[in-house]
Amino acid sequence: MTAHVHVPSMIARVSTAGALTLAVTGAGLVTPGAAPEAHAAPHAAKALDVAASKRGAPYQYGASGPYRFDCSGLTLYSFKSAGRSLPRSAQAQYGTSRHIRAKDRLRGDLVFFHRGRSVYHVGIYAGGNKIWHSPRTGAVVRLERIWSQAVWYGRVG
């Protein structure tokens, strides 16, 4: 009697390998014709992950974690966890970040909301025109669309 051994076709093996690569790297699928977002520096990616892990943490004015945050407290805590230091206020964080254009923004960059020359809010860019932030009293850390055109971007070195 002859033993039959099933050998998957090359296409099946490539598909499995591709699926495993996506699972291991966390890569996403790219829509044809769309430009994929560039990757952030490792510390910015880590800061973004830390901010996302704080989803649902309540806002508290002046708080910088680990359980409650105001906007600049969340960015300070997230980047500190990633090995980078930032000053305490949103305005001071803007002053110490490397200013970049909107078209050059990457996941993990800071997004500063301003009125005139005064920065009043900061969040961490998550891609897809969204930020992780701690918005205001009565709210929690959350992912939200950028709601204003009056924003500046900064990169933490």
Side-chain angles (χ1 to χ4, degrees):
M1 185 165 185
T2 311
H4 292 271
V5 177
H6 175 71
V7 178
S9 70
M10 182 58 131
I11 291 172
R13 282 183 277 164
V14 169
S15 296
T16 302
L20 288 173
T21 300
L22 284 173
V24 170
T25 63
L29 299 176
V30 177
T31 305
E37 294 205 42
H39 295 285
H43 67 271
K46 166 84 171 159
L48 181 59
D49 288 345
V50 170
S53 78
K54 295 304 178 179
R55 171 185 227 134
Y59 178 95
Q60 182 179 335
Y61 180 79
S64 56
Y67 306 111
R68 296 176 178 277
F69 302 90
D70 66 9
C71 68
S72 58
L74 178 64
T75 54
L76 171 83
Y77 180 87
S78 298
F79 276 93
K80 183 177 181 180
S81 297
R84 295 293 194 268
S85 63
L86 286 174
R88 182 59 184 91
S89 72
Q91 184 75 51
Q93 289 177 7
Y94 178 72
T96 61
S97 66
R98 182 166 58 95
H99 303 164
I100 56 173
R101 297 177 297 197
K103 70 178 194 138
D104 298 325
R105 68 189 178 184
L106 299 174
R107 296 176 75 240
D109 285 335
L110 295 174
V111 181
F112 298 96
F113 294 77
H114 65 94
R115 284 188 197 98
R117 299 172 81 181
S118 179
V119 171
Y120 67 89
H121 187 64
V122 63
I124 300 177
Y125 187 64
N129 205 39
K130 294 182 179 180
I131 60 168
W132 280 103
H133 71 136
S134 186
R136 66 187 165 279
T137 301
V140 297
V141 172
R142 64 186 182 211
L143 181 65
E144 190 168 14
R145 276 204 162 282
I146 296 172
W147 61 89
S148 173
Q149 303 241 349
V151 294
W152 293 322
Y153 296 90
R155 185 159 296 149
V156 178

Short mmCIF file of all heavy atoms in Angstrom, two decimals, residues 35-74:
data_model
loop_
_atom_site.label_atom_id
_atom_site.label_comp_id
_atom_site.label_asym_id
_atom_site.label_seq_id
_atom_site.Cartn_x
_atom_site.Cartn_y
_atom_site.Cartn_z
N ALA A 35 -1.73 55.99 -0.17
CA ALA A 35 -0.36 55.97 0.35
C ALA A 35 -0.40 55.52 1.80
O ALA A 35 -1.17 56.05 2.60
CB ALA A 35 0.26 57.35 0.26
N PRO A 36 0.39 54.50 2.18
CA PRO A 36 0.40 54.09 3.58
C PRO A 36 1.05 55.16 4.44
O PRO A 36 1.90 55.91 3.97
CB PRO A 36 1.26 52.81 3.56
CG PRO A 36 2.10 52.93 2.34
CD PRO A 36 1.31 53.75 1.35
N GLU A 37 0.61 55.27 5.70
CA GLU A 37 1.22 56.24 6.59
C GLU A 37 2.60 55.77 6.97
O GLU A 37 2.83 54.59 7.19
CB GLU A 37 0.35 56.42 7.83
CG GLU A 37 -0.98 57.04 7.46
CD GLU A 37 -1.61 57.78 8.60
OE1 GLU A 37 -0.91 58.49 9.32
OE2 GLU A 37 -2.82 57.65 8.74
N ALA A 38 3.53 56.71 7.03
CA ALA A 38 4.91 56.38 7.38
C ALA A 38 4.97 55.95 8.84
O ALA A 38 4.10 56.28 9.65
CB ALA A 38 5.80 57.59 7.15
N HIS A 39 6.00 55.20 9.18
CA HIS A 39 6.16 54.70 10.54
C HIS A 39 6.85 55.73 11.41
O HIS A 39 7.76 56.42 10.99
CB HIS A 39 6.96 53.40 10.53
CG HIS A 39 6.23 52.30 9.84
ND1 HIS A 39 5.16 51.65 10.41
CD2 HIS A 39 6.38 51.75 8.62
CE1 HIS A 39 4.70 50.74 9.58
NE2 HIS A 39 5.42 50.79 8.47
N ALA A 40 6.43 55.80 12.65
CA ALA A 40 7.00 56.72 13.63
C ALA A 40 8.30 56.15 14.18
O ALA A 40 8.58 54.96 14.05
CB ALA A 40 6.00 56.91 14.77
N ALA A 41 9.08 57.00 14.80
CA ALA A 41 10.27 56.56 15.51
C ALA A 41 9.83 55.63 16.64
O ALA A 41 8.70 55.75 17.14
CB ALA A 41 11.01 57.76 16.07
N PRO A 42 10.71 54.71 17.07
CA PRO A 42 10.31 53.76 18.12
C PRO A 42 9.77 54.42 19.39
O PRO A 42 8.79 53.95 19.96
CB PRO A 42 11.61 52.99 18.41
CG PRO A 42 12.38 53.07 17.13
CD PRO A 42 12.04 54.42 16.55
N HIS A 43 10.39 55.52 19.84
CA HIS A 43 9.88 56.16 21.07
C HIS A 43 8.50 56.78 20.85
O HIS A 43 7.66 56.75 21.74
CB HIS A 43 10.88 57.19 21.62
CG HIS A 43 11.05 58.38 20.73
ND1 HIS A 43 11.98 58.42 19.72
CD2 HIS A 43 10.42 59.57 20.70
CE1 HIS A 43 11.92 59.58 19.10
NE2 HIS A 43 10.97 60.30 19.67
N ALA A 44 8.24 57.30 19.66
CA ALA A 44 6.93 57.88 19.37
C ALA A 44 5.87 56.78 19.30
O ALA A 44 4.75 56.95 19.79
CB ALA A 44 6.98 58.68 18.08
N ALA A 45 6.21 55.65 18.70
CA ALA A 45 5.28 54.52 18.62
C ALA A 45 4.97 54.00 20.03
O ALA A 45 3.82 53.68 20.34
CB ALA A 45 5.86 53.41 17.75
N LYS A 46 5.97 53.93 20.88
CA LYS A 46 5.77 53.47 22.27
C LYS A 46 4.87 54.46 23.01
O LYS A 46 3.95 54.06 23.72
CB LYS A 46 7.13 53.33 22.96
CG LYS A 46 7.08 53.19 24.45
CD LYS A 46 6.83 51.79 24.90
CE LYS A 46 7.01 51.73 26.42
NZ LYS A 46 6.35 50.62 27.01
N ALA A 47 5.12 55.77 22.85
CA ALA A 47 4.30 56.79 23.51
C ALA A 47 2.85 56.67 23.05
O ALA A 47 1.92 56.78 23.86
CB ALA A 47 4.85 58.19 23.23
N LEU A 48 2.65 56.43 21.77
CA LEU A 48 1.30 56.26 21.23
C LEU A 48 0.62 55.05 21.85
O LEU A 48 -0.54 55.11 22.27
CB LEU A 48 1.37 56.12 19.71
CG LEU A 48 0.05 55.96 18.97
CD1 LEU A 48 -0.88 57.14 19.22
CD2 LEU A 48 0.33 55.80 17.49
N ASP A 49 1.36 53.95 21.99
CA ASP A 49 0.81 52.74 22.62
C ASP A 49 0.45 52.99 24.08
O ASP A 49 -0.58 52.52 24.56
CB ASP A 49 1.81 51.58 22.54
CG ASP A 49 1.95 51.02 21.13
OD1 ASP A 49 1.09 51.31 20.27
OD2 ASP A 49 2.93 50.30 20.89
N VAL A 50 1.29 53.74 24.78
CA VAL A 50 1.02 54.04 26.19
C VAL A 50 -0.26 54.88 26.30
O VAL A 50 -1.14 54.59 27.12
CB VAL A 50 2.21 54.75 26.86
CG1 VAL A 50 1.84 55.28 28.24
CG2 VAL A 50 3.41 53.81 26.96
N ALA A 51 -0.37 55.91 25.46
CA ALA A 51 -1.57 56.76 25.48
C ALA A 51 -2.82 55.91 25.22
O ALA A 51 -3.83 56.04 25.93
CB ALA A 51 -1.45 57.89 24.47
N ALA A 52 -2.76 55.04 24.22
CA ALA A 52 -3.90 54.18 23.89
C ALA A 52 -4.25 53.26 25.05
O ALA A 52 -5.42 52.96 25.29
CB ALA A 52 -3.61 53.38 22.63
N SER A 53 -3.24 52.82 25.79
CA SER A 53 -3.49 51.91 26.92
C SER A 53 -4.22 52.62 28.06
O SER A 53 -4.75 51.96 28.95
CB SER A 53 -2.17 51.31 27.43
OG SER A 53 -1.45 52.24 28.23
N LYS A 54 -4.25 53.94 28.03
CA LYS A 54 -4.92 54.72 29.08
C LYS A 54 -6.35 55.07 28.70
O LYS A 54 -7.01 55.85 29.40
CB LYS A 54 -4.12 55.99 29.38
CG LYS A 54 -2.75 55.69 29.98
CD LYS A 54 -2.88 54.85 31.23
CE LYS A 54 -1.55 54.48 31.84
NZ LYS A 54 -1.72 53.69 33.06
N ARG A 55 -6.85 54.47 27.62
CA ARG A 55 -8.23 54.68 27.19
C ARG A 55 -9.16 54.53 28.39
O ARG A 55 -9.08 53.57 29.14
CB ARG A 55 -8.61 53.67 26.12
CG ARG A 55 -10.08 53.70 25.78
CD ARG A 55 -10.46 52.61 24.80
NE ARG A 55 -11.28 53.23 23.80
CZ ARG A 55 -11.17 53.08 22.51
NH1 ARG A 55 -10.26 52.26 22.03
NH2 ARG A 55 -11.96 53.71 21.69
N GLY A 56 -10.05 55.51 28.56
CA GLY A 56 -11.04 55.45 29.64
C GLY A 56 -10.58 56.06 30.94
O GLY A 56 -11.39 56.23 31.86
N ALA A 57 -9.30 56.43 31.06
CA ALA A 57 -8.83 57.09 32.29
C ALA A 57 -9.47 58.47 32.38
O ALA A 57 -9.52 59.21 31.40
CB ALA A 57 -7.30 57.21 32.28
N PRO A 58 -9.95 58.85 33.55
CA PRO A 58 -10.65 60.13 33.67
C PRO A 58 -9.72 61.34 33.56
O PRO A 58 -8.57 61.30 33.96
CB PRO A 58 -11.29 60.07 35.05
CG PRO A 58 -10.69 58.93 35.76
CD PRO A 58 -9.99 58.07 34.77
N TYR A 59 -10.29 62.42 33.04
CA TYR A 59 -9.62 63.71 33.00
C TYR A 59 -9.57 64.29 34.41
O TYR A 59 -10.55 64.23 35.14
CB TYR A 59 -10.37 64.68 32.09
CG TYR A 59 -9.75 66.07 32.05
CD1 TYR A 59 -8.86 66.41 31.04
CD2 TYR A 59 -10.04 67.02 33.02
CE1 TYR A 59 -8.28 67.67 30.99
CE2 TYR A 59 -9.46 68.28 32.99
CZ TYR A 59 -8.58 68.60 31.98
OH TYR A 59 -8.00 69.84 31.95
N GLN A 60 -8.45 64.85 34.77
CA GLN A 60 -8.33 65.63 36.00
C GLN A 60 -7.32 66.72 35.73
O GLN A 60 -6.17 66.44 35.37
CB GLN A 60 -7.88 64.79 37.18
CG GLN A 60 -7.81 65.60 38.47
CD GLN A 60 -7.38 64.76 39.66
OE1 GLN A 60 -7.57 63.55 39.69
NE2 GLN A 60 -6.77 65.42 40.64
N TYR A 61 -7.74 67.97 35.90
CA TYR A 61 -6.84 69.09 35.68
C TYR A 61 -5.57 68.94 36.53
O TYR A 61 -5.65 68.64 37.73
CB TYR A 61 -7.54 70.42 36.03
CG TYR A 61 -6.65 71.60 35.80
CD1 TYR A 61 -6.46 72.10 34.51
CD2 TYR A 61 -5.98 72.21 36.86
CE1 TYR A 61 -5.62 73.18 34.29
CE2 TYR A 61 -5.14 73.29 36.64
CZ TYR A 61 -4.96 73.76 35.35
OH TYR A 61 -4.12 74.84 35.13
N GLY A 62 -4.42 69.09 35.90
CA GLY A 62 -3.14 69.03 36.60
C GLY A 62 -2.60 67.62 36.81
O GLY A 62 -1.50 67.45 37.33
N ALA A 63 -3.35 66.60 36.41
CA ALA A 63 -2.92 65.21 36.65
C ALA A 63 -2.05 64.69 35.50
O ALA A 63 -2.32 64.95 34.34
CB ALA A 63 -4.13 64.31 36.84
N SER A 64 -1.00 63.94 35.88
CA SER A 64 -0.11 63.36 34.86
C SER A 64 0.08 61.86 35.10
O SER A 64 1.17 61.34 34.93
CB SER A 64 1.22 64.10 34.81
OG SER A 64 1.82 64.13 36.08
N GLY A 65 -0.99 61.19 35.50
CA GLY A 65 -0.98 59.73 35.58
C GLY A 65 -0.58 59.20 36.93
O GLY A 65 -0.29 59.93 37.84
N PRO A 66 -0.61 57.91 37.04
CA PRO A 66 -0.88 56.95 35.97
C PRO A 66 -2.37 56.63 35.76
O PRO A 66 -2.69 55.92 34.82
CB PRO A 66 -0.14 55.69 36.43
CG PRO A 66 -0.19 55.75 37.92
CD PRO A 66 -0.13 57.22 38.26
N TYR A 67 -3.26 57.16 36.60
CA TYR A 67 -4.68 56.81 36.49
C TYR A 67 -5.59 57.94 36.05
O TYR A 67 -6.72 57.70 35.65
CB TYR A 67 -5.18 56.24 37.82
CG TYR A 67 -4.33 55.08 38.29
CD1 TYR A 67 -3.52 55.20 39.41
CD2 TYR A 67 -4.31 53.89 37.59
CE1 TYR A 67 -2.72 54.15 39.83
CE2 TYR A 67 -3.51 52.83 37.99
CZ TYR A 67 -2.71 52.98 39.11
OH TYR A 67 -1.91 51.93 39.51
N ARG A 68 -5.13 59.17 36.15
CA ARG A 68 -5.89 60.36 35.74
C ARG A 68 -4.95 61.29 35.00
O ARG A 68 -3.76 61.36 35.32
CB ARG A 68 -6.46 61.09 36.95
CG ARG A 68 -7.46 60.28 37.72
CD ARG A 68 -7.92 61.04 38.97
NE ARG A 68 -8.94 60.27 39.68
CZ ARG A 68 -10.22 60.27 39.37
NH1 ARG A 68 -10.67 61.02 38.39
NH2 ARG A 68 -11.08 59.52 40.05
N PHE A 69 -5.51 62.05 34.03
CA PHE A 69 -4.68 62.89 33.18
C PHE A 69 -5.41 64.14 32.74
O PHE A 69 -6.62 64.11 32.55
CB PHE A 69 -4.30 62.14 31.88
CG PHE A 69 -3.58 60.86 32.11
CD1 PHE A 69 -4.27 59.66 32.24
CD2 PHE A 69 -2.19 60.84 32.19
CE1 PHE A 69 -3.60 58.47 32.46
CE2 PHE A 69 -1.52 59.64 32.41
CZ PHE A 69 -2.22 58.46 32.54
N ASP A 70 -4.66 65.22 32.56
CA ASP A 70 -5.14 66.31 31.72
C ASP A 70 -4.41 66.13 30.39
O ASP A 70 -3.66 65.15 30.21
CB ASP A 70 -4.96 67.69 32.37
CG ASP A 70 -3.52 68.14 32.56
OD1 ASP A 70 -2.58 67.48 32.05
OD2 ASP A 70 -3.33 69.17 33.22
N CYS A 71 -4.63 67.02 29.43
CA CYS A 71 -4.08 66.77 28.09
C CYS A 71 -2.57 66.67 28.06
O CYS A 71 -2.00 65.69 27.55
CB CYS A 71 -4.59 67.82 27.09
SG CYS A 71 -3.97 69.50 27.32
N SER A 72 -1.89 67.65 28.64
CA SER A 72 -0.42 67.62 28.61
C SER A 72 0.14 66.59 29.59
O SER A 72 1.25 66.09 29.41
CB SER A 72 0.16 69.01 28.89
OG SER A 72 -0.28 69.50 30.14
N GLY A 73 -0.64 66.24 30.60
CA GLY A 73 -0.24 65.18 31.51
C GLY A 73 -0.19 63.83 30.82
O GLY A 73 0.70 63.01 31.07
N LEU A 74 -1.13 63.60 29.89
CA LEU A 74 -1.14 62.35 29.12
C LEU A 74 0.07 62.29 28.19
O LEU A 74 0.73 61.25 28.11
CB LEU A 74 -2.44 62.22 28.31
CG LEU A 74 -2.54 60.97 27.43
CD1 LEU A 74 -2.55 59.70 28.29
CD2 LEU A 74 -3.77 61.05 26.54
#
